[in-house]
Amino acid sequence: MEKQWVKLFSTDNSVRAEITKQMLEEHGVSAVMMNKQDSSYRFGQVELYVHESEETFAAGLIAEMGDADSGQ
């Protein structure tokens, strides 16, 4: 992976990672998902990477999504 990509998000829930990736892409942010989970036992992390130039914007979107999930 190129050096200009930064890890923005990490979770053990692959569905949540995919939803987050789709939300970022709907807002014009290119995102790459790296699944580091064991395929048999489903432990490990799924990481989401964005280009460093979009990191601040993407982090704000994720924070807003978190607020919406918690009902605030």
Side-chain angles (χ1 to χ4, degrees):
M1 184 173 278
E2 297 177 25
K3 293 184 180 190
Q4 293 86 12
W5 292 83
V6 292
K7 183 169 67 171
L8 181 69
F9 183 76
S10 181
T11 181
D12 60 355
N13 185 334
S14 61
V15 174
R16 178 134 176 110
E18 184 63 42
I19 291 170
T20 303
K21 178 180 184 256
Q22 291 299 318
M23 181 272 300
L24 290 172
E25 290 178 345
E26 287 174 6
H27 286 86
V29 177
S30 298
V32 175
M33 192 167 69
M34 186 176 295
N35 189 339
K36 294 184 175 182
Q37 288 185 326
D38 180 83
S39 61
S40 298
Y41 299 105
R42 300 302 234 189
F43 64 88
Q45 296 291 305
V46 179
E47 299 173 348
L48 205 57
Y49 290 83
V50 297
H51 195 271
E52 62 186 9
S53 64
E54 300 177 307
E55 180 181 13
T56 304
F57 178 62
L61 290 172
I62 288 176
E64 287 179 24
M65 188 175 93
D67 288 346
D69 287 346
S70 65
Q72 296 177 357

